[in-house]
Amino acid sequence: MNDAKSTANRDTVTLTDNSTGKSLELPILGGTVGPRAIDVSKLYAETGYFTYDPGFTSTASCDSNITYIDGEVGVLMHRGYLIEDLAENSDFMDVCYLLLHGELPDAKEKTRFEKSITYHTMLHEQMNNFFRGFRRDSHPMAVMVGVVGAMSAFYHDSTDINDPHQRMVASHRLIAKMPTIAAMAYKYSVGQPFVYPRNNLSYAENFLHMMFSVPCEEYQISPVLARAMDRIFILHADHEQNASTSTVRIAGSSNANPFACIAAGIASLWGPAHGGANEAVLQMLNEIGSKDRIPEFIKRAKDKDDPFRLMGFGHRVYKNYDPRAKVMQKSCHEVLGELGIEHDPLLEIAMALEKIALEDDYFVEKKLFPNVDFYSGIILKAMGIPTSMFTVLFAVARTVGWVAQWREMIEDPKQRISRPRQLYHGYAQRDYVPLDKR
Ligand code: SDX
């Protein structure tokens, strides 16, 4: 490929096919900040060639104004605000409004938005029956996929994706009801009655209330734990075109209803390579069991023949410290301090593991740093959240990112059904073989 050359009003690259001598000039597109992109949308029509990029490591799948990540330096911004600033100065409702509307809300906007979310937190009473169809020991992510998908069977007045009002109502319903459904999944798994949301509680307080209150006793909400929960929601809210967000966009590109699209996102997030990593980190730390076994696991993580990977380490985009992990680590110490947990053995193993890994050539060369999932599980465990609920919490928080990206996709005039192609390696056409000849 020739170097980019500037033309009168835009940069282009020229692709030359050495087998035919033919050349094609392709426009280079630029955004506000970050890598520019070569527009290959006409490539197949003009050359008969596909691009080839398994895992989309070099592919910009869409235009977006929501979130920007600079993986080389470890920057994460939502609508231009650094995640560190938002985690320090905002609450989750601020960040939800910002992701959905592009600006931080003023006092009036925030009150109106928060009221709308609060008054959508209850679930249609008949949906309670869905839970009884699951085994008590079902993984709560299986329950989330099922019940959120079933919302499309109950909220027919917010499934018309072409109606902006219905898109807004569906978005608020999803953001509001995810904590309720998540807490119900937990209560069902421990055989306790469902706890209704309370309108006088904040989003994070309400979640803790629905998780830990029982009819016989109100859960005393610690302001520090509620703030930590709120901050964990902020840190997981959105993250550009990750696997689950791309799943939601592709599902939405077929004009599927928003509840079905978010259920698809929950399913994708469940994987241990993605949102399931926070649960996998705790399992790994428990398996390591003590600091002196860390070298054994570092060796396994480096062994190509061993499928074991260091959970909570590495990232497709971050080739530096995940900024969310830094905030999470700080929050970890605050929560453990608040709970009077002087020595958390898992935290000590995690910190020793992080130190050793970051000094190991393998991790340094491959730029494998702790990601958002590395510390989150330690905080959640200290707060009394069972390990199986960790990815559920990730899904609760990421719902606002999913719906914001889904709405951006639906409202994009360039939007069309996502339909990638392939490089085919199967049989060429062959004659049919009748049964008696096989
Ligand atoms: C999330 O995309 C997002 O934004 C996701 C997320 C979000 O907010 O939505 O940030 C949330 O999913 C965070 C990631 C959580 N997952 C984990 O912690 C699981 C462990 N990490 C890995 O599975 C892996 O790092 C991925 C899946 C996160 C990234 O995989 P990539 O980009 O496909 O990288 P790769 O697998 O090609 O790895 C590159 C090299 C490989 O070695 P080589 O083949 O080049 O010799 O690094 C190695 C890998 O073997 N490697 C690891 C490793 N991660 C990568 N080796 C040991 N331990 C690891 N954790």
CSV table of all heavy atoms in Angstrom, one decimal, residues 239 242-243 272-275 277 301 304 309-316 319 324 362-363 366 368 371-373 394 398, ligand 1:
chain,number,residue,atom,x,y,z
A,239,HIS,N,-17.9,1.2,27.4
A,239,HIS,CA,-16.4,1.0,27.1
A,239,HIS,C,-16.3,0.9,25.6
A,239,HIS,O,-15.6,-0.1,25.1
A,239,HIS,CB,-15.9,-0.2,27.8
A,239,HIS,CG,-14.4,0.0,28.1
A,239,HIS,ND1,-13.4,-0.9,27.7
A,239,HIS,CD2,-13.8,1.0,28.8
A,239,HIS,CE1,-12.3,-0.5,28.1
A,239,HIS,NE2,-12.4,0.7,28.8
A,242,ASN,N,-16.8,-2.8,22.7
A,242,ASN,CA,-16.4,-4.1,23.3
A,242,ASN,C,-17.3,-5.2,22.8
A,242,ASN,O,-18.3,-4.9,22.1
A,242,ASN,CB,-16.4,-4.0,24.8
A,242,ASN,CG,-17.7,-3.6,25.3
A,242,ASN,OD1,-18.6,-4.4,25.5
A,242,ASN,ND2,-18.0,-2.3,25.5
A,243,ALA,N,-17.0,-6.4,23.1
A,243,ALA,CA,-17.7,-7.5,22.6
A,243,ALA,C,-19.2,-7.5,22.8
A,243,ALA,O,-20.1,-7.6,21.9
A,243,ALA,CB,-17.2,-8.8,23.1
A,272,PRO,N,-16.0,-15.6,30.2
A,272,PRO,CA,-14.9,-15.3,31.1
A,272,PRO,C,-13.8,-14.4,30.4
A,272,PRO,O,-13.0,-13.8,31.1
A,272,PRO,CB,-14.3,-16.7,31.5
A,272,PRO,CG,-14.9,-17.6,30.6
A,272,PRO,CD,-16.2,-17.1,30.1
A,273,ALA,N,-13.8,-14.4,29.1
A,273,ALA,CA,-12.8,-13.5,28.4
A,273,ALA,C,-13.3,-12.1,28.5
A,273,ALA,O,-12.5,-11.1,28.2
A,273,ALA,CB,-12.6,-13.9,27.0
A,274,HIS,N,-14.5,-11.9,28.9
A,274,HIS,CA,-15.1,-10.5,28.9
A,274,HIS,C,-15.6,-10.2,30.3
A,274,HIS,O,-14.9,-10.2,31.2
A,274,HIS,CB,-16.2,-10.5,27.8
A,274,HIS,CG,-16.9,-9.1,27.5
A,274,HIS,ND1,-16.3,-7.9,27.9
A,274,HIS,CD2,-18.0,-8.8,26.8
A,274,HIS,CE1,-17.1,-6.9,27.5
A,274,HIS,NE2,-18.1,-7.5,26.8
A,275,GLY,N,-16.9,-10.0,30.5
A,275,GLY,CA,-17.4,-9.6,31.8
A,275,GLY,C,-17.3,-10.7,32.8
A,275,GLY,O,-17.4,-10.4,34.0
A,277,ALA,N,-14.9,-12.2,33.6
A,277,ALA,CA,-13.5,-12.3,34.2
A,277,ALA,C,-13.5,-11.9,35.7
A,277,ALA,O,-12.7,-12.5,36.4
A,277,ALA,CB,-12.6,-11.4,33.4
A,301,ALA,N,0.5,-19.3,33.2
A,301,ALA,CA,-0.1,-18.3,32.3
A,301,ALA,C,0.8,-18.0,31.1
A,301,ALA,O,0.4,-17.6,30.0
A,301,ALA,CB,-0.2,-17.0,33.1
A,304,LYS,N,2.3,-21.8,26.6
A,304,LYS,CA,1.4,-21.8,25.4
A,304,LYS,C,0.6,-23.1,25.4
A,304,LYS,O,-0.5,-23.1,24.8
A,304,LYS,CB,2.3,-21.8,24.1
A,304,LYS,CG,2.8,-20.4,23.8
A,304,LYS,CD,1.7,-19.5,23.2
A,304,LYS,CE,1.9,-18.1,23.5
A,304,LYS,NZ,1.0,-17.6,24.5
A,309,ARG,N,-5.0,-18.6,31.7
A,309,ARG,CA,-4.6,-17.2,31.6
A,309,ARG,C,-4.8,-16.5,32.9
A,309,ARG,O,-5.6,-16.9,33.7
A,309,ARG,CB,-5.4,-16.5,30.5
A,309,ARG,CG,-5.0,-17.0,29.1
A,309,ARG,CD,-5.5,-16.0,28.1
A,309,ARG,NE,-4.9,-16.2,26.8
A,309,ARG,CZ,-5.3,-15.6,25.7
A,309,ARG,NH1,-6.2,-14.8,25.8
A,309,ARG,NH2,-4.7,-15.9,24.6
A,310,LEU,N,-4.0,-15.5,33.1
A,310,LEU,CA,-4.1,-14.7,34.3
A,310,LEU,C,-5.4,-13.8,34.2
A,310,LEU,O,-5.4,-12.9,33.5
A,310,LEU,CB,-2.9,-13.8,34.5
A,310,LEU,CG,-2.3,-13.6,35.9
A,310,LEU,CD1,-2.2,-15.0,36.6
A,310,LEU,CD2,-0.9,-13.0,35.7
A,311,MET,N,-6.4,-14.2,34.9
A,311,MET,CA,-7.7,-13.5,34.8
A,311,MET,C,-7.6,-12.1,35.4
A,311,MET,O,-6.9,-11.9,36.4
A,311,MET,CB,-8.8,-14.3,35.6
A,311,MET,CG,-9.2,-15.6,34.9
A,311,MET,SD,-10.1,-15.3,33.4
A,311,MET,CE,-9.0,-15.8,32.2
A,312,GLY,N,-8.2,-11.2,34.7
A,312,GLY,CA,-8.1,-9.8,35.2
A,312,GLY,C,-6.9,-9.1,34.6
A,312,GLY,O,-6.6,-7.9,34.9
A,313,PHE,N,-6.1,-9.8,33.8
A,313,PHE,CA,-4.9,-9.2,33.1
A,313,PHE,C,-5.1,-9.2,31.6
A,313,PHE,O,-5.7,-10.1,31.0
A,313,PHE,CB,-3.7,-10.0,33.4
A,313,PHE,CG,-2.9,-9.5,34.6
A,313,PHE,CD1,-3.4,-9.8,35.9
A,313,PHE,CD2,-1.8,-8.6,34.5
A,313,PHE,CE1,-2.7,-9.3,37.0
A,313,PHE,CE2,-1.1,-8.2,35.6
A,313,PHE,CZ,-1.6,-8.5,36.9
A,314,GLY,N,-4.6,-8.2,31.0
A,314,GLY,CA,-4.6,-8.1,29.5
A,314,GLY,C,-5.9,-7.4,29.0
A,314,GLY,O,-6.9,-7.4,29.7
A,315,HIS,N,-5.8,-6.9,27.8
A,315,HIS,CA,-7.0,-6.2,27.2
A,315,HIS,C,-6.7,-6.0,25.8
A,315,HIS,O,-5.6,-5.8,25.3
A,315,HIS,CB,-7.1,-4.8,27.9
A,315,HIS,CG,-8.5,-4.3,27.7
A,315,HIS,ND1,-8.9,-3.6,26.6
A,315,HIS,CD2,-9.6,-4.3,28.5
A,315,HIS,CE1,-10.1,-3.2,26.7
A,315,HIS,NE2,-10.6,-3.6,27.9
A,316,ARG,N,-7.8,-6.1,25.0
A,316,ARG,CA,-7.6,-5.9,23.5
A,316,ARG,C,-7.2,-4.5,23.2
A,316,ARG,O,-6.3,-4.3,22.3
A,316,ARG,CB,-9.0,-6.1,22.9
A,316,ARG,CG,-9.0,-5.7,21.4
A,316,ARG,CD,-8.0,-6.5,20.5
A,316,ARG,NE,-8.2,-7.9,20.6
A,316,ARG,CZ,-9.2,-8.6,20.0
A,316,ARG,NH1,-10.1,-7.9,19.3
A,316,ARG,NH2,-9.2,-9.9,20.1
A,319,LYS,N,-3.0,-1.2,26.3
A,319,LYS,CA,-1.7,-1.8,26.4
A,319,LYS,C,-0.9,-1.0,27.4
A,319,LYS,O,0.3,-0.8,27.4
A,319,LYS,CB,-1.0,-1.7,25.0
A,319,LYS,CG,-1.8,-2.4,23.9
A,319,LYS,CD,-2.1,-3.9,24.3
A,319,LYS,CE,-3.1,-4.5,23.3
A,319,LYS,NZ,-3.6,-5.9,23.9
A,324,ARG,N,-9.6,2.3,34.9
A,324,ARG,CA,-10.6,1.9,35.9
A,324,ARG,C,-10.0,1.0,37.0
A,324,ARG,O,-10.5,1.0,38.1
A,324,ARG,CB,-11.7,1.1,35.1
A,324,ARG,CG,-12.3,1.9,34.0
A,324,ARG,CD,-13.2,1.0,33.1
A,324,ARG,NE,-12.3,0.0,32.4
A,324,ARG,CZ,-12.8,-1.0,31.6
A,324,ARG,NH1,-14.1,-1.0,31.4
A,324,ARG,NH2,-12.0,-1.8,31.0
A,362,TYR,N,7.5,-11.4,30.3
A,362,TYR,CA,6.4,-11.9,29.4
A,362,TYR,C,5.3,-10.9,29.4
A,362,TYR,O,4.8,-10.4,28.4
A,362,TYR,CB,5.9,-13.2,29.9
A,362,TYR,CG,4.7,-13.8,29.2
A,362,TYR,CD1,4.8,-14.6,28.1
A,362,TYR,CD2,3.4,-13.4,29.7
A,362,TYR,CE1,3.6,-15.1,27.5
A,362,TYR,CE2,2.2,-13.9,29.1
A,362,TYR,CZ,2.4,-14.8,28.0
A,362,TYR,OH,1.2,-15.2,27.4
A,363,PHE,N,4.9,-10.4,30.7
A,363,PHE,CA,3.7,-9.5,30.8
A,363,PHE,C,4.1,-8.1,30.3
A,363,PHE,O,3.3,-7.4,29.7
A,363,PHE,CB,3.3,-9.5,32.2
A,363,PHE,CG,2.6,-10.8,32.6
A,363,PHE,CD1,3.3,-11.8,33.1
A,363,PHE,CD2,1.2,-10.9,32.4
A,363,PHE,CE1,2.7,-13.1,33.4
A,363,PHE,CE2,0.6,-12.1,32.8
A,363,PHE,CZ,1.3,-13.2,33.2
A,366,LYS,N,4.3,-8.2,26.4
A,366,LYS,CA,3.0,-8.3,25.8
A,366,LYS,C,2.0,-7.2,26.3
A,366,LYS,O,0.9,-7.2,25.9
A,366,LYS,CB,2.4,-9.7,26.1
A,366,LYS,CG,3.2,-10.8,25.3
A,366,LYS,CD,2.5,-12.2,25.5
A,366,LYS,CE,3.4,-13.2,24.9
A,366,LYS,NZ,3.5,-13.1,23.4
A,368,LEU,N,0.7,-6.6,29.2
A,368,LEU,CA,-0.5,-7.2,29.9
A,368,LEU,C,-0.6,-6.5,31.3
A,368,LEU,O,0.2,-6.8,32.2
A,368,LEU,CB,-0.4,-8.7,30.1
A,368,LEU,CG,-0.2,-9.4,28.7
A,368,LEU,CD1,0.0,-10.9,29.0
A,368,LEU,CD2,-1.4,-9.3,27.8
A,371,ASN,N,-6.8,-5.2,34.4
A,371,ASN,CA,-7.9,-4.5,33.8
A,371,ASN,C,-9.0,-4.3,34.9
A,371,ASN,O,-8.8,-4.6,36.0
A,371,ASN,CB,-8.5,-5.3,32.6
A,371,ASN,CG,-8.9,-6.7,33.0
A,371,ASN,OD1,-9.6,-6.9,33.9
A,371,ASN,ND2,-8.4,-7.7,32.2
A,372,VAL,N,-10.1,-3.8,34.4
A,372,VAL,CA,-11.2,-3.4,35.4
A,372,VAL,C,-11.6,-4.6,36.3
A,372,VAL,O,-12.0,-4.4,37.4
A,372,VAL,CB,-12.4,-2.9,34.6
A,372,VAL,CG1,-13.1,-4.0,33.7
A,372,VAL,CG2,-13.4,-2.2,35.5
A,373,ASP,N,-11.5,-5.8,35.8
A,373,ASP,CA,-12.0,-6.9,36.5
A,373,ASP,C,-11.1,-7.4,37.6
A,373,ASP,O,-11.4,-8.2,38.4
A,373,ASP,CB,-12.3,-8.1,35.6
A,373,ASP,CG,-13.4,-7.7,34.6
A,373,ASP,OD1,-14.4,-7.4,35.1
A,373,ASP,OD2,-13.1,-7.8,33.4
A,394,PHE,N,-21.9,-6.3,36.7
A,394,PHE,CA,-21.2,-5.7,35.5
A,394,PHE,C,-22.4,-5.4,34.5
A,394,PHE,O,-22.4,-4.3,33.9
A,394,PHE,CB,-20.2,-6.7,34.9
A,394,PHE,CG,-19.3,-6.1,33.9
A,394,PHE,CD1,-18.0,-6.6,33.8
A,394,PHE,CD2,-19.6,-5.0,33.1
A,394,PHE,CE1,-17.1,-6.0,32.9
A,394,PHE,CE2,-18.7,-4.5,32.1
A,394,PHE,CZ,-17.5,-5.0,32.1
A,398,ARG,N,-23.4,-1.9,32.9
A,398,ARG,CA,-23.2,-1.7,31.4
A,398,ARG,C,-24.5,-1.5,30.6
A,398,ARG,O,-24.4,-1.0,29.5
A,398,ARG,CB,-22.4,-2.9,30.9
A,398,ARG,CG,-22.0,-2.9,29.5
A,398,ARG,CD,-21.2,-1.7,29.1
A,398,ARG,NE,-20.0,-1.5,29.9
A,398,ARG,CZ,-18.8,-2.0,29.5
A,398,ARG,NH1,-18.7,-2.8,28.5
A,398,ARG,NH2,-17.7,-1.7,30.3
B,1,SDX,C1,-13.3,-6.8,29.8
B,1,SDX,O1,-13.1,-4.9,25.2
B,1,SDX,C2,-13.4,-4.3,26.4
B,1,SDX,O2,-13.4,-3.1,26.4
B,1,SDX,C3,-13.7,-5.3,27.5
B,1,SDX,C4,-13.9,-4.6,28.9
B,1,SDX,C5,-15.2,-3.7,28.9
B,1,SDX,O3,-15.2,-2.8,29.8
B,1,SDX,O4,-16.1,-4.0,28.1
B,1,SDX,O5,-12.8,-3.8,29.2
B,1,SDX,C6,-14.1,-5.6,29.9
B,1,SDX,O6,-13.7,-7.8,29.1
B,1,SDX,C7,-11.9,-6.8,30.3
B,1,SDX,C8,-11.1,-8.1,30.0
B,1,SDX,C9,-11.5,-9.2,30.9
B,1,SDX,N1,-10.9,-10.5,30.6
B,1,SDX,C10,-9.9,-11.0,31.3
B,1,SDX,O7,-9.3,-10.5,32.2
B,1,SDX,C11,-9.5,-12.4,30.8
B,1,SDX,C12,-8.0,-12.6,30.7
B,1,SDX,N2,-7.5,-11.7,29.5
B,1,SDX,C13,-7.4,-12.4,28.3
B,1,SDX,O8,-8.3,-13.4,28.0
B,1,SDX,C14,-7.1,-11.4,27.1
B,1,SDX,O9,-6.2,-10.5,27.6
B,1,SDX,C15,-8.3,-10.6,26.5
B,1,SDX,C16,-9.4,-11.5,26.1
B,1,SDX,C17,-8.8,-9.6,27.5
B,1,SDX,C18,-7.7,-9.9,25.3
B,1,SDX,O10,-7.4,-10.8,24.4
B,1,SDX,P1,-6.8,-10.4,22.9
B,1,SDX,O11,-6.8,-8.9,22.7
B,1,SDX,O12,-7.4,-11.2,21.9
B,1,SDX,O13,-5.3,-10.7,23.1
B,1,SDX,P2,-4.7,-12.1,22.8
B,1,SDX,O14,-5.5,-13.1,23.4
B,1,SDX,O15,-4.4,-12.2,21.4
B,1,SDX,O16,-3.3,-12.0,23.7
B,1,SDX,C19,-2.2,-11.4,23.1
B,1,SDX,C20,-1.1,-12.3,23.7
B,1,SDX,C21,-1.3,-13.8,23.5
B,1,SDX,O17,0.0,-14.3,23.5
B,1,SDX,P3,0.7,-14.7,22.0
B,1,SDX,O18,-0.3,-15.6,21.3
B,1,SDX,O19,0.8,-13.3,21.3
B,1,SDX,O20,2.0,-15.4,22.3
B,1,SDX,O21,-1.0,-12.1,25.2
B,1,SDX,C22,-1.3,-13.3,25.8
B,1,SDX,C23,-1.9,-14.2,24.8
B,1,SDX,O22,-1.6,-15.6,25.1
B,1,SDX,N3,-2.3,-13.0,26.9
B,1,SDX,C24,-2.2,-13.5,28.1
B,1,SDX,C25,-3.3,-12.9,28.8
B,1,SDX,N4,-3.9,-12.1,28.0
B,1,SDX,C26,-3.3,-12.1,26.8
B,1,SDX,N5,-1.4,-14.4,28.7
B,1,SDX,C27,-1.6,-14.7,30.0
B,1,SDX,N6,-2.6,-14.2,30.7
B,1,SDX,C28,-3.5,-13.3,30.2
B,1,SDX,N7,-4.4,-12.7,30.9
